[in-house]
Amino acid sequence: MLNFYGDYDVVVCGGGTSGCTAAICAARAGAKKVLLIERVGQLGGQMNFSGPPGFSFAHLLNYRQEQVIAGFAAETHKLLLEEGHALPDLRPRWRCNYTYAYVDPDWWGLLMYKMCKDEGVELMLHSLVTEVMREGNVVKGVICEHPGGKSLVTGKVIIDCTGEGEVAYQAGAEYEIAPRDILEPATVAFTADGVNWDEVMDYVRNHVEDFLFGQIGYENTDYMTLDKIREAVRNCKDVVEMGEVMGFLSLQKIGVENNEWHNQSGVGFFIMPKGDKILAHFQHSSQVDKVDCTDVRDISRAEAECREQNVIAFKFFKKYIPGFENAYITRVCPEVRIRETRRVMGDYKLLREDVMEARKFDDVIGKSAFTAGAKHAVGDAALALKDLVYPKDGGSTDIPYRCLVVKDLENFMVAGKAISTDRAAHHRFLQETIVTGQAAGVAAALCVRDGKTPRQLETDVSELQKILIEQGAILYGTH
């Protein structure tokens, strides 16, 4: 039997990084009744459930080292830093724009519950959106299945923050998805303690030619070279100064020859602060390709195969990598991290050329300095850089509000990984999902207040932009 759960101003579907941000910022912007629906009991999504991706928070700068992402991301980093659950925002020049402001992902998740409570956001957990209620082209509500049955939730504005555009798909929205054979691989991340960091750093400093630094993007600058980076690494005293360690190329070769490394990815790790400790976080140690994670058979295979690869990877680290002899796994993420599925088409589709030109838009709601075109691929290096383009002049790309407004549907928005872009410009990274979540939440609140649809708001986004700036977002003043 279908029950009626309630009617809300703003309904956010998905309690990950974009969804938590959207719900909290909608409430702050004046929405009185905000409901956040999440299919599991844990808030945080790719930050602490299917992740974190090792770079949270990284890439807050452009290649000129101007900060381009702040807002909710910077706010939560600051709060956790003050409480001892984050590392400082270190910006060594040799890392160009790929610098780090690490947070403890578990504490970030706990912070989301507190912030939702403080802002009056109602939680509907262990609830999976299975249907959408439409009247013509107007999305009126969603139907959720949960312990005890299923319920109808209605709302003035519905925001899809599921990451995979699940609600938009059920609503009949237009979307794009790459062919299964070229979709980015899925991965299951895990974390380890018991690392002797002195031994790790001794090896790194004395074997700098054995490590990869192309991901830093130094070739896009006029102030950094590979030789300068290697010299800086030789002078690093603490793994925190590096933020990530990728390569171990000679040891990887031995592992492959001895059939002790699966070679579906490169060898390396990120770091994770945990109290007074630094843990090793393995984001790329498993990769399964040719899977469409909107297909239950594919995602089931990815979950199993990733874990098989992780066992191989961790045994390799303990045997071959100096400093890992006594390491032990402290966490395995509960589910696969999905890099790429649907992109929901909106009133504007952000293109590869927009990123390449560092294009600016009148309806800007945030910025990103990420490149376009680079895709993870199964292989010995994990990241395929051959189609990569950088924003022009070391700058950043504006994200237009219209990318959040779903084409041909009313009262409906999307934020997070599934916003409207072409494949090359896919805005899937955690920092970007927070940027678009913040904008969608504020926009929804304004629509409710003024009796407008998200599409009608496109005619004048000046108040939206004003509030975002007041909330700490960066919209102007950078390249």
Side-chain angles (χ1 to χ4, degrees):
M1 185 175 74
L2 180 64
N3 300 304
F4 179 65
Y5 193 84
D7 182 57
Y8 295 85
D9 291 335
V10 179
V11 177
V12 180
C13 304
T17 48
S18 64
C20 287
T21 307
I24 291 164
C25 292
R28 287 177 171 177
K32 302 301 182 187
K33 293 186 67 179
V34 179
L35 180 69
L36 178 57
I37 303 171
E38 169 53 44
R39 63 182 171 83
V40 299
Q42 175 70 60
L43 297 179
Q46 65 168 311
M47 174 64 89
N48 59 346
F49 193 73
S50 61
F55 46 76
S56 310
F57 294 114
H59 289 285
L60 303 182
L61 316 177
N62 63 21
Y63 282 91
R64 292 170 173 263
Q65 295 199 313
E66 300 169 328
Q67 186 161 354
V68 296
I69 295 177
F72 194 78
E75 176 189 353
T76 55
H77 174 262
K78 181 175 183 292
L79 289 170
L80 293 177
L81 182 64
E82 290 171 350
E83 295 180 358
H85 303 306
L87 295 176
D89 184 0
L90 298 178
R91 301 181 180 185
R93 188 162 175 78
W94 69 268
R95 289 209 62 90
C96 305
N97 86 321
Y98 200 175
T99 62
Y100 291 91
Y102 275 113
V103 300
D104 181 328
D106 298 310
W107 278 100
W108 196 90
L110 293 171
L111 179 62
M112 291 305 100
Y113 289 92
K114 181 181 185 300
M115 295 178 85
C116 283
K117 182 178 180 180
D118 290 348
E119 301 298 341
V121 174
E122 183 179 340
L123 302 180
M124 186 182 185
L125 304 178
H126 298 285
S127 298
L128 177 66
V129 176
T130 56
E131 297 179 57
V132 171
M133 187 178 78
R134 271 184 61 172
E135 292 181 4
N137 67 341
V138 179
V139 176
K140 305 290 285 187
V142 295
I143 294 173
C144 301
E145 297 193 16
H146 48 69
K150 59 182 181 178
S151 300
L152 170 65
V153 175
T154 57
K156 295 180 177 66
V157 178
I158 313 293
I159 308 175
D160 182 343
C161 293
T162 61
E164 318 315 320
E166 288 287 350
V167 181
Y169 172 74
Q170 293 161 17
E174 180 183 338
Y175 69 92
E176 294 179 358
I177 185 169
R180 174 184 272 103
D181 285 353
I182 64 170
L183 283 169
E184 292 196 75
T187 185
V188 172
F190 67 96
T191 310
D193 197 358
V195 180
N196 184 323
W197 290 115
D198 290 337
E199 290 186 14
V200 172
M201 289 305 300
D202 281 346
Y203 184 87
V204 171
R205 284 190 295 263
N206 290 308
H207 300 81
V208 291
E209 293 79 9
D210 216 23
F211 293 88
L212 300 171
F213 301 104
Q215 68 275 18
I216 294 175
Y218 62 89
E219 293 175 340
N220 191 45
T221 73
D222 58 6
Y223 57 83
M224 196 53 56
T225 65
L226 179 57
D227 286 341
K228 288 181 179 179
I229 290 174
R230 286 174 170 171
E231 185 60 30
V233 171
R234 289 189 185 98
N235 291 310
C236 282
K237 295 180 173 59
D238 192 321
V239 71
V240 171
E241 300 174 53
M242 296 194 64
E244 63 165 353
V245 180
M246 301 293 170
F248 298 100
L249 299 179
S250 60
L251 299 178
Q252 179 180 349
K253 182 180 179 183
I254 296 171
V256 172
E257 291 172 351
N258 293 338
N259 200 30
E260 293 178 301
W261 180 257
H262 51 66
N263 224 32
Q264 301 300 294
S265 66
V267 177
F269 55 86
F270 295 84
I271 63 173
M272 178 189 295
K274 184 66 68 173
D276 60 355
K277 291 185 174 184
I278 297 297
L279 310 186
H281 182 65
F282 298 83
Q283 176 188 323
H284 296 148
S285 291
S286 59
Q287 292 199 130
V288 176
D289 65 352
K290 296 180 174 58
V291 291
D292 176 356
C293 287
T294 66
D295 181 304
V296 67
R297 286 186 171 85
D298 279 6
I299 196 171
S300 297
R301 177 168 69 86
E303 294 279 11
E305 291 186 11
C306 280
R307 286 166 172 81
E308 290 178 15
Q309 291 179 18
N310 282 342
V311 171
I312 295 169
F314 193 61
K315 287 180 177 179
F316 168 86
F317 264 83
K318 285 180 69 68
K319 180 174 180 178
Y320 288 102
I321 305 300
F324 279 83
E325 296 87 348
N326 298 312
Y328 52 92
I329 291 175
T330 58
R331 65 184 279 163
V332 177
C333 290
E335 67 179 22
V336 72
R337 177 167 169 255
I338 302 171
R339 290 192 174 99
E340 181 182 15
T341 57
R342 304 182 189 95
R343 288 165 283 105
V344 178
M345 295 299 99
D347 286 349
Y348 185 82
K349 179 164 73 170
L350 196 70
L351 303 174
R352 180 181 189 272
E353 290 74 19
D354 293 328
V355 175
M356 186 169 58
E357 293 299 321
R359 193 151 285 146
K360 304 300 183 276
F361 295 91
D362 289 341
D363 61 339
V364 54
I365 49 82
K367 292 177 176 289
S368 172
F370 278 93
T371 59
K375 298 295 176 185
H376 281 264
V378 164
D380 59 4
L383 192 61
L385 301 175
K386 64 180 181 179
D387 296 321
L388 173 145
V389 294
Y390 295 95
K392 184 177 67 175
D393 298 328
S396 60
T397 310
D398 283 359
I399 305 171
Y401 169 68
R402 289 163 292 157
C403 289
L404 316 184
V405 181
V406 178
K407 187 177 178 181
D408 298 329
L409 291 175
E410 299 296 344
N411 295 348
F412 190 53
M413 304 175 71
V414 64
K417 290 194 302 180
I419 69 164
S420 181
T421 70
D422 68 8
R423 184 169 187 251
H426 189 199
H427 272 42
R428 69 175 178 86
F429 293 103
L430 183 149
Q431 303 86 326
E432 296 169 316
T433 68
I434 289 178
V435 170
T436 56
Q438 185 163 12
V442 174
L446 293 179
C447 288
V448 170
R449 185 198 68 186
D450 297 339
K452 292 181 177 179
T453 67
R455 179 160 290 104
Q456 289 170 336
L457 189 65
E458 290 177 1
T459 60
D460 184 1
V461 295
S462 59
E463 187 175 9
L464 168 60
Q465 292 167 331
K466 176 176 178 291
I467 294 172
L468 288 172
I469 291 171
E470 290 171 352
Q471 291 187 355
I474 297 172
L475 305 186
Y476 308 109
T478 67
H479 290 81

